[in-house]
C-alpha cells in the first residue's frame, strides 16, 4: 500500500496522479477514496499500459502500422447498450471490439455504494448470446471500498433491457 503513495507528497498530488474524476476541492475524502481504488487497480481493466497489437500477436517490435483487426458487432445492440446505460459515466467504449466499460456510479440516495459495468457485444446478429453484461459493486466501509458479491440476476435484467432497447431501435429503423 505504501508503494502506491510513494511518488506523491500531498493529497492533491495523489488525486492528480490517479486520474480521479472527483474534485478534491469539493470533497477531499471522496476524491482520495476514488484515487486509492484507481491506483490499486492500475488505472483500468488492462492497467495503465493498455493492450497493443504487439501484445496480442506476441511481438512488440516491427508491427506493420497498416494492420487492422476489426470485429463487427450488431449496431442495434451497440446503440441499445449505450442508450440503456446513458446515465452512467463511460470509462471506455470500443465499437470495433464491442466493449463498453463504465466508470464507477453512485446514486444521490446511496453514496456508500457504487457500481460499474462491463458490456461485451460479440457478434453481428441481434441475439441474446451476442451480449454479456458483468457488473461490479462495492460498498464503502470506512476507510475503504469493499467488493460485494456479483448479482447475476441484475446482470440479466440489464441484458434484457439492452436487448429490448435494441429490438425497438431495429423496428424504428425498418
Amino acid at each position: 500500500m505504501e508503494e502506491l503513495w510513494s511518488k506523491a507528497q500531498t493529497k492533491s498530488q495523489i488525486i492528480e496522479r490517479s486520474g480521479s474524476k472527483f474534485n478534491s476541492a469539493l470533497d477531499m475524502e471522496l476524491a482520495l477514496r476514488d484515487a486509492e481504488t484507481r491506483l490499486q487497480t492500475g488505472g483500468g481493466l488492462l492497467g495503465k499500459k493498455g493492450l497493443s497489437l504487439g501484445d496480442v500477436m506476441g511481438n512488440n517490435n516491427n508491427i506493420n502500422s497498416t494492420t487492422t483487426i476489426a470485429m463487427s458487432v450488431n449496431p442495434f445492440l451497440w446503440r441499445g447498450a449505450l442508450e440503456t446505460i446513458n446515465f452512467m459515466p463511460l470509462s471506455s467504449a470500443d465499437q470495433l471490439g464491442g466493449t463498453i466499460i463504465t466508470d464507477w456510479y453512485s446514486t444521490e440516495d446511496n453514496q456508500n455504494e457504487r457500481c460499474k459495468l462491463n458490456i461485451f457485444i460479440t457478434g453481428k446478429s441481434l441475439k441474446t448470446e451476442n451480449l454479456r453484461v458483468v457488473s461490479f459493486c462495492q460498498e464503502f466501509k470506512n476507510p475503504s471500498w469493499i467488493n460485494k458479491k456479483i448479482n447475476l440476476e441484475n446482470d440479466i435484467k440489464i441484458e434484457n433491457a439492452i436487448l429490448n432497447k435494441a429490438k425497438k431501435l431495429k423496428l424504428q429503423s425498418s
Side-chain angles (χ1 to χ4, degrees):
M1 184 67 160
E2 191 173 312
E3 186 176 318
L4 291 175
W5 309 107
S6 65
K7 295 180 184 174
Q9 301 302 314
T10 67
K11 291 178 182 179
S12 296
Q13 288 173 322
I14 293 168
I15 293 166
E16 183 180 326
R17 189 167 55 90
S18 74
S20 176
K21 306 239 187 301
F22 293 100
N23 186 340
S24 59
L26 298 177
D27 190 341
M28 178 66 78
E29 183 180 330
L30 179 62
L32 274 173
R33 288 193 318 237
D34 182 59
E36 180 177 328
T37 300
R38 287 173 181 273
L39 291 170
Q40 285 176 339
T41 61
L45 180 65
L46 300 171
K48 291 181 182 176
K49 180 177 156 247
L51 185 66
S52 72
L53 183 59
D55 293 336
V56 173
M57 304 300 279
N59 176 11
N60 288 329
N61 302 325
N62 302 328
I63 296 173
N64 182 348
S65 62
T66 61
T67 302
T68 303
I69 295 177
M71 177 180 185
S72 298
V73 298
N74 184 281
F76 301 111
L77 280 175
W78 180 258
R79 269 191 48 215
L82 289 175
E83 289 183 21
T84 301
I85 62 158
N86 67 0
F87 62 94
M88 297 181 81
L90 290 180
S91 180
S92 70
D94 176 11
Q95 188 172 7
L96 293 177
T99 304
I100 301 169
I101 301 173
T102 69
D103 206 346
W104 291 105
Y105 174 78
S106 293
T107 63
E108 294 260 337
D109 297 336
N110 190 2
Q111 293 191 2
N112 285 332
E113 181 178 87
R114 65 185 185 176
C115 296
K116 67 184 297 182
L117 300 173
N118 291 351
I119 301 172
F120 305 100
I121 302 168
T122 58
K124 291 183 180 183
S125 56
L126 180 54
K127 294 182 179 179
T128 305
E129 57 265 13
N130 288 337
L131 176 67
R132 182 164 176 247
V133 173
V134 181
S135 63
F136 304 92
C137 293
Q138 294 179 333
E139 186 173 8
F140 185 69
K141 293 187 178 178
N142 206 8
S144 59
W145 288 97
I146 306 298
N147 291 332
K148 295 177 74 172
K149 184 178 179 193
I150 293 174
N151 187 334
L152 297 177
E153 288 179 26
N154 284 344
D155 292 352
I156 292 170
K157 287 178 185 177
I158 296 167
E159 287 174 1
N160 288 335
I162 292 170
L163 285 164
N164 288 334
K165 182 67 172 178
K167 290 174 187 175
K168 287 178 186 175
L169 291 168
K170 184 175 182 177
L171 286 173
Q172 290 172 356
S173 72
S174 299

